Amino acid sequence: MMQFLKYLFVLLFAVYNFNDSPRKMNADDLFDIKLIKEVKLFPDGKSALLLISESSRELDKRINHLWKTDFINLNPVQLTNAKNGVSYPQFYEDSSLAYLSDHKGKQNIYILDRKSGKEELLFEHNSSVSAFSFSKDYKTLFFLAPRTDNSENSLVPNFLKADFETPNSALWRYDINTKKKELLSSGEKHIKSLNLSHDGKQLATVIAPSPNVNDELKSEIYVYNLDDNKFRQLTNNYAQEKS
């Protein structure tokens, strides 16, 4: 743990630019502060993948970019520069990264080849993906997304949709070779997160009645068995759950 913290502090100093001459902090400095939100060790253990949050004056919000830095030269390199940022980074096969990014008005899964720097859309889904997990052989993908995207047919104005039309996220399976998608849950409840077990036979999920913040305390942990395609509830308490 202490070794990890040491690396983390080294990374903080490696990524941020500090002024040689001290001065008082002003409001612009607060806006420009960058935050390390996530750190993952590359499989070779020689470098780290960082998800760094920074403020976008154009979008008036914070967005995330991926950086890589090695532990020897401490030379940070920015890997992504999407206008709306990226999230949910994962390693994909030997030389690629996978993450969520919004390029076309909805969030989908993109693959970045670290050798060529080329970014590709993994597949097109008709609603925004919120989380995903690959099987160990990278042939199967499990992801969370609403069953349908009703934004075009809705009579509710756009500025009200966040409050009244946030759809439930359902569980999907995607075969990367055949490019076939399969809906695994009904969508009657909101699946907030998923984590694939080490043996690849089960998915740990957190399920709530809806995405509404008032239903956070009603969320429970379920295990989805991939052999019989059934959910099994593990918790039953009035507490916010995470997996």
Side-chain angles (χ1 to χ4, degrees):
M1 182 65 180
M2 290 302 296
Q3 188 72 4
F4 176 78
L5 290 175
K6 185 174 105 174
Y7 279 140
L8 186 56
F9 281 115
V10 169
L11 291 171
L12 282 167
F13 281 90
V15 172
Y16 300 133
N17 293 320
F18 293 90
N19 251 323
D20 291 333
S21 53
R23 61 176 176 80
K24 291 183 179 180
M25 180 177 283
N26 56 40
D28 287 338
D29 293 327
L30 292 174
F31 188 86
D32 291 333
I33 287 177
K34 296 181 180 180
L35 304 172
I36 295 180
K37 298 187 65 177
E38 194 170 341
V39 178
K40 291 178 180 286
L41 287 178
F42 276 90
D44 61 9
K46 297 179 181 179
S47 53
L49 179 70
L50 298 93
L51 184 68
I52 296 182
S53 170
E54 63 182 52
S55 297
S56 169
R57 296 180 185 274
E58 179 184 356
L59 300 176
D60 194 26
K61 65 177 183 179
R62 298 193 70 88
I63 59 174
N64 305 321
H65 298 303
L66 287 176
W67 290 69
K68 177 186 177 182
T69 187
D70 64 89
F71 296 132
I72 298 175
N73 299 317
L74 298 179
N75 182 29
V77 177
Q78 187 169 347
L79 301 178
T80 63
N81 193 28
K83 178 181 179 181
N84 293 302
V86 303
S87 61
Y88 219 82
Q90 297 186 34
F91 297 109
Y92 179 68
E93 296 185 332
D94 294 331
S95 61
S96 299
L97 299 170
Y99 46 81
L100 296 177
S101 187
D102 180 354
H103 285 310
K104 300 178 180 179
K106 58 179 178 286
Q107 197 165 244
N108 266 309
I109 303 169
Y110 287 81
I111 303 296
L112 177 70
D113 188 299
R114 291 190 285 117
K115 294 180 179 178
S116 66
K118 184 179 180 181
E119 180 188 71
E120 290 185 343
L121 177 67
L122 182 60
F123 70 96
E124 182 77 26
H125 193 62
N126 62 354
S127 58
S128 287
V129 177
S130 58
F132 65 95
S133 182
F134 291 102
S135 61
K136 282 190 174 181
D137 59 7
Y138 298 105
K139 294 180 179 179
T140 305
L141 171 74
F142 301 95
F143 68 97
L144 301 180
R147 291 188 59 177
T148 56
D149 183 3
N150 298 318
S151 59
E152 294 182 359
N153 302 320
S154 175
L155 298 178
V156 179
N158 286 333
F159 66 89
L160 292 177
K161 285 181 181 177
D163 294 326
F164 295 102
E165 285 201 346
T166 303
N168 290 339
S169 284
L171 176 63
W172 299 75
R173 175 164 47 201
Y174 177 73
D175 188 303
I176 294 177
N177 291 330
T178 64
K179 303 186 185 307
K180 290 184 178 179
K181 286 184 288 189
E182 180 185 3
L183 182 65
L184 300 180
S185 69
S186 65
E188 292 180 0
K189 291 189 176 182
H190 176 59
I191 304 181
K192 298 169 55 180
S193 64
L194 80 164
N195 287 287
L196 186 64
S197 63
H198 291 296
D199 60 10
K201 295 181 179 180
Q202 296 178 317
L203 285 166
T205 65
V206 174
I207 301 178
S210 78
N212 194 304
V213 293
N214 295 327
D215 283 333
E216 286 286 336
L217 293 177
K218 300 176 184 177
S219 61
E220 303 293 349
I221 296 176
Y222 289 76
V223 169
Y224 183 82
N225 193 317
L226 294 168
D227 290 332
D228 59 15
N229 296 321
K230 291 182 179 180
F231 284 96
R232 177 167 59 93
Q233 186 171 346
L234 296 185
T235 63
N236 186 15
N237 54 59
Y238 197 69
Q240 183 177 352
E241 307 286 1
K242 292 183 179 181
S243 69

